[in-house]
């Protein structure tokens, strides 16, 4: 969360510089000062922290896909941007560039998604080496259990260590008393 919020703050400042210093769209009324944009960092950090938690971006994703996480980041950033525009409209009297908001929205999706992908990749690498493991017991029997065990053995990067199988299958059990 802290890393995400630092990136979000950086995206906001970068969006300002892209718009007014590096962007392809000319500035007609002069470059506005950075200071009013910095005042919004407090609300931005709070809104994005709530949005990222609301969309479950910090739940364990040992078996999740990168695409699902990108979509969740996009949804959270879109919601955050809408709330930000609302806050800007009702609580701040300064005019803010719409392009800064659009750049910020796009940057927040791309940069946070790439960061999450890199972080998850590092976790998978660590788990593949036998660290950060979770232990599991499989309940069931038959081919499905064998398939699950085989797939988890091939995917050491998931970090699940099967400790046993609980089954009601009476095969293989000794004589009944």
């Amino acid at each position: 969360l802290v890393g995400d919020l630092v990136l979000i703050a950086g995206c906001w400042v970068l969006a300002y510089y892209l718009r007014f210093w590096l962007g392809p769209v000319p500035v007609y009324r002069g470059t506005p000062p950075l200071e009013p944009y910095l005042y919004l960092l407090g609300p931005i950090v709070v809104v994005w922290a709530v949005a990222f938690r609301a969309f479950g971006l910090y739940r364990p994703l040992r078996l999740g896909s990168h695409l699902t996480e990108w979509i969740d980041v996009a949804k959270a950033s879109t919601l955050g941007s809408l709330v930000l525009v609302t806050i800007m409209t009702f609580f701040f009297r300064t005019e803010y560039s719409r392009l800064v908001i659009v750049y910020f929205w796009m940057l927040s999706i791309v940069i946070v998604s790439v960061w999450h992908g890199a972080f998850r990749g590092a976790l998978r690498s660590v788990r593949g080496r036998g660290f950060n493991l979770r232990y599991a017991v499989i309940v069931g029997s038959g081919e499905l259990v064998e398939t699950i065990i085989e797939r988890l053995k091939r995917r050491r990067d998931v970090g699940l260590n099967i400790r046993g199988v609980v089954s009601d299958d009476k095969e293989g059990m000794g004589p009944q008393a």
Side-chain angles (χ1 to χ4, degrees):
L1 176 62
V2 172
D4 286 349
L5 296 179
V6 168
L7 287 175
I8 288 298
C11 288
W12 179 246
V13 174
L14 180 59
Y16 170 86
Y17 281 105
L18 283 175
R19 166 62 182 105
F20 295 112
W21 297 100
L22 303 173
V25 179
V27 178
Y28 293 107
R29 290 188 265 164
T31 302
L34 177 62
E35 188 176 347
Y37 286 85
L38 293 178
Y39 290 146
L40 284 172
L41 280 176
I44 286 171
V45 167
V46 170
V47 167
W48 260 257
V50 170
F52 283 174
R53 285 207 178 272
F55 282 92
L57 291 176
Y58 304 111
R59 67 187 181 278
L61 286 177
R62 289 176 185 271
L63 298 171
S65 74
H66 290 290
L67 179 61
T68 301
E69 190 163 31
W70 275 70
I71 291 169
D72 288 343
V73 168
K75 287 191 251 181
S77 289
T78 301
L79 174 66
S81 296
L82 294 172
V83 171
L84 176 63
V85 168
T86 303
I87 290 171
M88 293 164 103
T89 302
F90 290 108
F91 298 107
F92 290 88
R93 296 291 176 218
T94 306
E95 282 189 35
Y96 293 96
S97 168
R98 292 181 299 263
L99 270 178
V100 169
I101 297 165
V102 170
Y103 289 163
F104 173 58
W105 172 69
M106 291 187 304
L107 286 168
S108 69
I109 292 170
V110 172
I111 290 175
V112 171
S113 294
V114 168
W115 158 247
H116 276 236
F119 187 79
R120 301 262 184 229
L123 277 177
R124 286 188 171 142
S125 175
V126 167
R127 290 173 183 147
R129 293 186 185 116
F131 298 99
N132 191 259
L133 299 178
R134 295 293 178 256
Y135 300 98
V137 174
I138 297 178
V139 178
S141 61
E143 283 185 44
L144 180 60
V145 169
E146 292 173 17
T147 302
I148 291 170
I149 291 171
E150 184 57 39
R151 286 189 182 172
L152 287 174
K153 281 182 182 176
R154 283 186 280 165
R155 291 285 316 269
R156 291 180 40 95
D157 61 316
V158 172
L160 289 176
N161 187 338
I162 305 301
R163 302 302 263 177
V165 176
V166 176
S167 171
D168 63 354
D169 187 7
K170 298 192 191 263
E171 254 181 63
M173 296 178 70
Q176 299 292 321

